[in-house]
Amino acid sequence: ADLGGIELSLTAITPEQAATASRTGALDASTRRNLMAAKAASTTDAVAAVWLQDEPEEGKTLRGAVERKEKAHYGVLSVDGRKVLAVDVVPADEGFVLLAVVARAAGPAVLSWSLSSTGTVGVARAARLPDEVVGTPVFTRIEGRPALWFVGRRGPGVRLMRDLGEGFVAVVDAARPVAVTFTGRERPILRCKAETVLPTSGATLADPVRLPDGFPESGVLVRDDEGAVWAAWVAPRKGTRDPGGLRALRLGGRGREEPLRLTDEPDILAMDVAVVQGRPCVAFVESITAKEGRVLVADLAAGEVYEAGLPNGPFRRATWVVGSASPLLAISNARGSLAVVAVGGDVRALFDGG
């Protein structure tokens, strides 16, 4: 991959095109694609997204987009999408930072690009990771700047790299033989062997917490403002005795606590968890038919589930938007489009999959 810069041509999407996309779900049916690993972030006046996209002939591409004042720009980053291990976008002092971990012959590297709210992309900066990656690397922010947690193969061990102003540098390299992988985004959590997790707090790891019995790999975890860890997962249907559905539990309590039974529908396509306005919340897509789903939000602390305010549609994934003062979700659908919407239904931006 060319690490010296980026070849990107950004094309404006007019408000009229965006309105058409809101009605049809795609700007151009010929460019409908499968959006993967879509992440979004917002500032006071703009919203940006980055995602991996399936291509019929090219394999995968890494794409970015930004919307401000009803004008959206999007383009392709000069990285082989097949070698991308993780992507993210975070707010910055001026605009955003696009982030990716890529596999290279000389060893994995973290790449970063500045992205202005008007669509200007800076030259790529690269930093080699000190170790091979095990599991999933996770981007976050520490003291307002991008950071990367991952499990390294040696040991295995826990690694933390931070952008301190001149690019990413390694700041934590600690042996953790029980480490498996990181999960989460703004508040990463280290999953370990023996059904335990270690939440992060800034640049440190907090005390271990035990997971509930049978907690699946697809479950999600988040640390709330008080330092408590919440777990949410989809319980499978067990005959007529238990219909299955979304379950949640505040970890670390005394005794054997029963999980919260939030729904009785196990056909959930995807989940994402974050602390939203001080409360741990799960956004998820519940399948209604083979082609239609609805977006729901579960407030774990209150034990309540409510609709996100969107009509049912061909939705496949909903993720929380980082940096938003009000709740925003990035929602991808089966038609190859990505919408960023306010919980309640107001569309902030919609990017075509092409």
mmCIF file of all heavy atoms in Angstrom, residues 36-66:
data_model
loop_
_atom_site.group_PDB
_atom_site.id
_atom_site.type_symbol
_atom_site.label_atom_id
_atom_site.label_comp_id
_atom_site.label_asym_id
_atom_site.label_seq_id
_atom_site.Cartn_x
_atom_site.Cartn_y
_atom_site.Cartn_z
ATOM 1 N N MET A 36 -19.821 -2.810 5.345
ATOM 2 C CA MET A 36 -19.345 -3.575 6.487
ATOM 3 C C MET A 36 -18.565 -2.665 7.418
ATOM 4 O O MET A 36 -17.878 -1.747 6.988
ATOM 5 C CB MET A 36 -18.429 -4.708 6.008
ATOM 6 C CG MET A 36 -19.110 -5.708 5.080
ATOM 7 S SD MET A 36 -17.921 -6.892 4.429
ATOM 8 C CE MET A 36 -16.867 -5.848 3.455
ATOM 9 N N ALA A 37 -18.666 -2.949 8.697
ATOM 10 C CA ALA A 37 -17.869 -2.262 9.718
ATOM 11 C C ALA A 37 -18.033 -0.754 9.648
ATOM 12 O O ALA A 37 -17.079 -0.006 9.878
ATOM 13 C CB ALA A 37 -16.394 -2.648 9.592
ATOM 14 N N ALA A 38 -19.232 -0.268 9.340
ATOM 15 C CA ALA A 38 -19.444 1.175 9.246
ATOM 16 C C ALA A 38 -19.332 1.818 10.627
ATOM 17 O O ALA A 38 -19.922 1.350 11.590
ATOM 18 C CB ALA A 38 -20.817 1.460 8.639
ATOM 19 N N LYS A 39 -18.565 2.909 10.705
ATOM 20 C CA LYS A 39 -18.421 3.681 11.935
ATOM 21 C C LYS A 39 -18.690 5.140 11.598
ATOM 22 O O LYS A 39 -18.354 5.608 10.502
ATOM 23 C CB LYS A 39 -17.008 3.545 12.506
ATOM 24 C CG LYS A 39 -16.581 2.098 12.818
ATOM 25 C CD LYS A 39 -17.301 1.552 14.024
ATOM 26 C CE LYS A 39 -16.859 0.123 14.331
ATOM 27 N NZ LYS A 39 -15.445 0.040 14.735
ATOM 28 N N ALA A 40 -19.268 5.876 12.539
ATOM 29 C CA ALA A 40 -19.581 7.281 12.295
ATOM 30 C C ALA A 40 -19.262 8.111 13.526
ATOM 31 O O ALA A 40 -19.249 7.613 14.655
ATOM 32 C CB ALA A 40 -21.051 7.448 11.905
ATOM 33 N N ALA A 41 -18.984 9.399 13.299
ATOM 34 C CA ALA A 41 -18.697 10.344 14.378
ATOM 35 C C ALA A 41 -19.284 11.691 14.000
ATOM 36 O O ALA A 41 -19.547 11.959 12.820
ATOM 37 C CB ALA A 41 -17.185 10.455 14.608
ATOM 38 N N SER A 42 -19.494 12.545 14.986
ATOM 39 C CA SER A 42 -20.074 13.855 14.703
ATOM 40 C C SER A 42 -19.376 14.938 15.510
ATOM 41 O O SER A 42 -18.782 14.681 16.560
ATOM 42 C CB SER A 42 -21.576 13.859 15.018
ATOM 43 O OG SER A 42 -21.791 13.810 16.415
ATOM 44 N N THR A 43 -19.438 16.146 14.979
ATOM 45 C CA THR A 43 -19.034 17.345 15.697
ATOM 46 C C THR A 43 -20.274 18.238 15.789
ATOM 47 O O THR A 43 -21.375 17.801 15.471
ATOM 48 C CB THR A 43 -17.899 18.071 14.959
ATOM 49 O OG1 THR A 43 -18.361 18.440 13.640
ATOM 50 C CG2 THR A 43 -16.679 17.165 14.810
ATOM 51 N N THR A 44 -20.099 19.469 16.203
ATOM 52 C CA THR A 44 -21.267 20.348 16.359
ATOM 53 C C THR A 44 -21.922 20.691 15.030
ATOM 54 O O THR A 44 -23.111 21.015 14.992
ATOM 55 C CB THR A 44 -20.859 21.648 17.067
ATOM 56 O OG1 THR A 44 -19.776 22.250 16.337
ATOM 57 C CG2 THR A 44 -20.415 21.374 18.497
ATOM 58 N N ASP A 45 -21.164 20.591 13.917
ATOM 59 C CA ASP A 45 -21.754 21.011 12.645
ATOM 60 C C ASP A 45 -21.565 20.018 11.507
ATOM 61 O O ASP A 45 -21.883 20.318 10.357
ATOM 62 C CB ASP A 45 -21.171 22.367 12.218
ATOM 63 C CG ASP A 45 -19.684 22.288 11.881
ATOM 64 O OD1 ASP A 45 -19.052 21.285 12.266
ATOM 65 O OD2 ASP A 45 -19.169 23.223 11.237
ATOM 66 N N ALA A 46 -21.037 18.816 11.793
ATOM 67 C CA ALA A 46 -20.797 17.869 10.705
ATOM 68 C C ALA A 46 -20.862 16.449 11.237
ATOM 69 O O ALA A 46 -20.753 16.207 12.441
ATOM 70 C CB ALA A 46 -19.434 18.129 10.054
ATOM 71 N N VAL A 47 -21.033 15.515 10.299
ATOM 72 C CA VAL A 47 -21.007 14.093 10.628
ATOM 73 C C VAL A 47 -20.166 13.383 9.578
ATOM 74 O O VAL A 47 -20.185 13.753 8.396
ATOM 75 C CB VAL A 47 -22.431 13.504 10.686
ATOM 76 C CG1 VAL A 47 -23.145 13.622 9.361
ATOM 77 C CG2 VAL A 47 -22.400 12.059 11.149
ATOM 78 N N ALA A 48 -19.352 12.418 10.013
ATOM 79 C CA ALA A 48 -18.476 11.696 9.093
ATOM 80 C C ALA A 48 -18.630 10.201 9.307
ATOM 81 O O ALA A 48 -19.028 9.748 10.390
ATOM 82 C CB ALA A 48 -17.017 12.108 9.293
ATOM 83 N N ALA A 49 -18.292 9.428 8.282
ATOM 84 C CA ALA A 49 -18.393 7.974 8.369
ATOM 85 C C ALA A 49 -17.241 7.340 7.609
ATOM 86 O O ALA A 49 -16.677 7.931 6.683
ATOM 87 C CB ALA A 49 -19.725 7.486 7.806
ATOM 88 N N VAL A 50 -16.899 6.123 8.006
ATOM 89 C CA VAL A 50 -15.899 5.325 7.305
ATOM 90 C C VAL A 50 -16.383 3.882 7.312
ATOM 91 O O VAL A 50 -17.006 3.443 8.272
ATOM 92 C CB VAL A 50 -14.507 5.467 7.970
ATOM 93 C CG1 VAL A 50 -14.513 4.932 9.386
ATOM 94 C CG2 VAL A 50 -13.428 4.785 7.156
ATOM 95 N N TRP A 51 -16.139 3.168 6.220
ATOM 96 C CA TRP A 51 -16.637 1.798 6.151
ATOM 97 C C TRP A 51 -15.848 0.998 5.117
ATOM 98 O O TRP A 51 -15.201 1.551 4.222
ATOM 99 C CB TRP A 51 -18.117 1.772 5.792
ATOM 100 C CG TRP A 51 -18.471 2.283 4.427
ATOM 101 C CD1 TRP A 51 -18.573 1.554 3.271
ATOM 102 C CD2 TRP A 51 -18.789 3.628 4.068
ATOM 103 N NE1 TRP A 51 -18.937 2.354 2.225
ATOM 104 C CE2 TRP A 51 -19.065 3.636 2.675
ATOM 105 C CE3 TRP A 51 -18.879 4.823 4.789
ATOM 106 C CZ2 TRP A 51 -19.423 4.802 1.993
ATOM 107 C CZ3 TRP A 51 -19.215 5.990 4.107
ATOM 108 C CH2 TRP A 51 -19.487 5.964 2.735
ATOM 109 N N LEU A 52 -15.927 -0.327 5.259
ATOM 110 C CA LEU A 52 -15.436 -1.249 4.241
ATOM 111 C C LEU A 52 -16.600 -1.623 3.342
ATOM 112 O O LEU A 52 -17.716 -1.830 3.813
ATOM 113 C CB LEU A 52 -14.865 -2.512 4.883
ATOM 114 C CG LEU A 52 -13.482 -2.388 5.533
ATOM 115 C CD1 LEU A 52 -13.182 -3.630 6.348
ATOM 116 C CD2 LEU A 52 -12.415 -2.172 4.480
ATOM 117 N N GLN A 53 -16.328 -1.730 2.071
ATOM 118 C CA GLN A 53 -17.403 -1.977 1.125
ATOM 119 C C GLN A 53 -17.033 -3.098 0.168
ATOM 120 O O GLN A 53 -15.953 -3.096 -0.424
ATOM 121 C CB GLN A 53 -17.686 -0.692 0.344
ATOM 122 C CG GLN A 53 -18.832 -0.792 -0.637
ATOM 123 C CD GLN A 53 -19.260 0.580 -1.101
ATOM 124 O OE1 GLN A 53 -19.655 1.419 -0.302
ATOM 125 N NE2 GLN A 53 -19.177 0.819 -2.388
ATOM 126 N N ASP A 54 -17.926 -4.070 0.034
ATOM 127 C CA ASP A 54 -17.743 -5.132 -0.952
ATOM 128 C C ASP A 54 -17.823 -4.554 -2.357
ATOM 129 O O ASP A 54 -18.702 -3.739 -2.646
ATOM 130 C CB ASP A 54 -18.836 -6.197 -0.803
ATOM 131 C CG ASP A 54 -18.515 -7.199 0.285
ATOM 132 O OD1 ASP A 54 -17.342 -7.274 0.688
ATOM 133 O OD2 ASP A 54 -19.432 -7.895 0.742
ATOM 134 N N GLU A 55 -16.927 -4.998 -3.227
ATOM 135 C CA GLU A 55 -16.952 -4.592 -4.624
ATOM 136 C C GLU A 55 -17.023 -5.842 -5.497
ATOM 137 O O GLU A 55 -16.356 -6.835 -5.203
ATOM 138 C CB GLU A 55 -15.699 -3.790 -4.985
ATOM 139 C CG GLU A 55 -15.446 -2.594 -4.088
ATOM 140 C CD GLU A 55 -16.464 -1.481 -4.274
ATOM 141 O OE1 GLU A 55 -17.277 -1.572 -5.220
ATOM 142 O OE2 GLU A 55 -16.446 -0.531 -3.474
ATOM 143 N N PRO A 56 -17.800 -5.822 -6.577
ATOM 144 C CA PRO A 56 -17.958 -7.014 -7.416
ATOM 145 C C PRO A 56 -16.641 -7.519 -7.995
ATOM 146 O O PRO A 56 -16.423 -8.718 -8.103
ATOM 147 C CB PRO A 56 -18.911 -6.535 -8.516
ATOM 148 C CG PRO A 56 -19.627 -5.370 -7.938
ATOM 149 C CD PRO A 56 -18.660 -4.719 -7.014
ATOM 150 N N GLU A 57 -15.736 -6.597 -8.369
ATOM 151 C CA GLU A 57 -14.504 -7.004 -9.032
ATOM 152 C C GLU A 57 -13.262 -6.686 -8.213
ATOM 153 O O GLU A 57 -12.224 -7.321 -8.399
ATOM 154 C CB GLU A 57 -14.402 -6.323 -10.396
ATOM 155 C CG GLU A 57 -15.550 -6.682 -11.343
ATOM 156 C CD GLU A 57 -15.455 -5.941 -12.661
ATOM 157 O OE1 GLU A 57 -14.533 -5.116 -12.801
ATOM 158 O OE2 GLU A 57 -16.314 -6.180 -13.533
ATOM 159 N N GLU A 58 -13.326 -5.710 -7.305
ATOM 160 C CA GLU A 58 -12.139 -5.245 -6.597
ATOM 161 C C GLU A 58 -11.953 -5.878 -5.226
ATOM 162 O O GLU A 58 -10.977 -5.599 -4.549
ATOM 163 C CB GLU A 58 -12.214 -3.722 -6.433
ATOM 164 C CG GLU A 58 -12.355 -2.974 -7.750
ATOM 165 C CD GLU A 58 -12.606 -1.501 -7.523
ATOM 166 O OE1 GLU A 58 -11.992 -0.918 -6.615
ATOM 167 O OE2 GLU A 58 -13.434 -0.927 -8.241
ATOM 168 N N GLY A 59 -12.870 -6.726 -4.783
ATOM 169 C CA GLY A 59 -12.770 -7.299 -3.444
ATOM 170 C C GLY A 59 -13.412 -6.388 -2.424
ATOM 171 O O GLY A 59 -14.620 -6.420 -2.223
ATOM 172 N N LYS A 60 -12.608 -5.531 -1.790
ATOM 173 C CA LYS A 60 -13.121 -4.583 -0.812
ATOM 174 C C LYS A 60 -12.408 -3.246 -0.974
ATOM 175 O O LYS A 60 -11.228 -3.194 -1.318
ATOM 176 C CB LYS A 60 -12.897 -5.084 0.618
ATOM 177 C CG LYS A 60 -13.678 -6.320 1.005
ATOM 178 C CD LYS A 60 -13.345 -6.728 2.429
ATOM 179 C CE LYS A 60 -14.052 -8.018 2.806
ATOM 180 N NZ LYS A 60 -13.694 -8.458 4.179
ATOM 181 N N THR A 61 -13.133 -2.168 -0.708
ATOM 182 C CA THR A 61 -12.537 -0.840 -0.662
ATOM 183 C C THR A 61 -12.834 -0.200 0.679
ATOM 184 O O THR A 61 -13.814 -0.544 1.343
ATOM 185 C CB THR A 61 -13.080 0.065 -1.786
ATOM 186 O OG1 THR A 61 -14.515 0.115 -1.691
ATOM 187 C CG2 THR A 61 -12.675 -0.436 -3.148
ATOM 188 N N LEU A 62 -11.953 0.722 1.081
ATOM 189 C CA LEU A 62 -12.162 1.501 2.295
ATOM 190 C C LEU A 62 -12.636 2.885 1.877
ATOM 191 O O LEU A 62 -11.960 3.568 1.098
ATOM 192 C CB LEU A 62 -10.865 1.597 3.100
ATOM 193 C CG LEU A 62 -10.931 2.423 4.394
ATOM 194 C CD1 LEU A 62 -11.949 1.845 5.360
ATOM 195 C CD2 LEU A 62 -9.554 2.512 5.048
ATOM 196 N N ARG A 63 -13.796 3.291 2.400
ATOM 197 C CA ARG A 63 -14.406 4.535 1.948
ATOM 198 C C ARG A 63 -14.706 5.460 3.130
ATOM 199 O O ARG A 63 -14.954 5.005 4.237
ATOM 200 C CB ARG A 63 -15.699 4.247 1.183
ATOM 201 C CG ARG A 63 -15.445 3.378 -0.042
ATOM 202 C CD ARG A 63 -16.623 3.307 -0.963
ATOM 203 N NE ARG A 63 -16.258 2.607 -2.176
ATOM 204 C CZ ARG A 63 -16.636 2.980 -3.393
ATOM 205 N NH1 ARG A 63 -17.375 4.053 -3.550
ATOM 206 N NH2 ARG A 63 -16.269 2.290 -4.454
ATOM 207 N N GLY A 64 -14.670 6.748 2.848
ATOM 208 C CA GLY A 64 -14.986 7.739 3.863
ATOM 209 C C GLY A 64 -15.967 8.752 3.324
ATOM 210 O O GLY A 64 -16.095 8.936 2.107
ATOM 211 N N ALA A 65 -16.677 9.416 4.218
ATOM 212 C CA ALA A 65 -17.654 10.417 3.806
ATOM 213 C C ALA A 65 -17.832 11.435 4.920
ATOM 214 O O ALA A 65 -17.587 11.146 6.092
ATOM 215 C CB ALA A 65 -18.994 9.758 3.473
ATOM 216 N N VAL A 66 -18.245 12.641 4.546
ATOM 217 C CA VAL A 66 -18.520 13.691 5.520
ATOM 218 C C VAL A 66 -19.689 14.516 5.009
ATOM 219 O O VAL A 66 -19.832 14.740 3.806
ATOM 220 C CB VAL A 66 -17.272 14.574 5.765
ATOM 221 C CG1 VAL A 66 -16.848 15.298 4.499
ATOM 222 C CG2 VAL A 66 -17.515 15.568 6.893
#
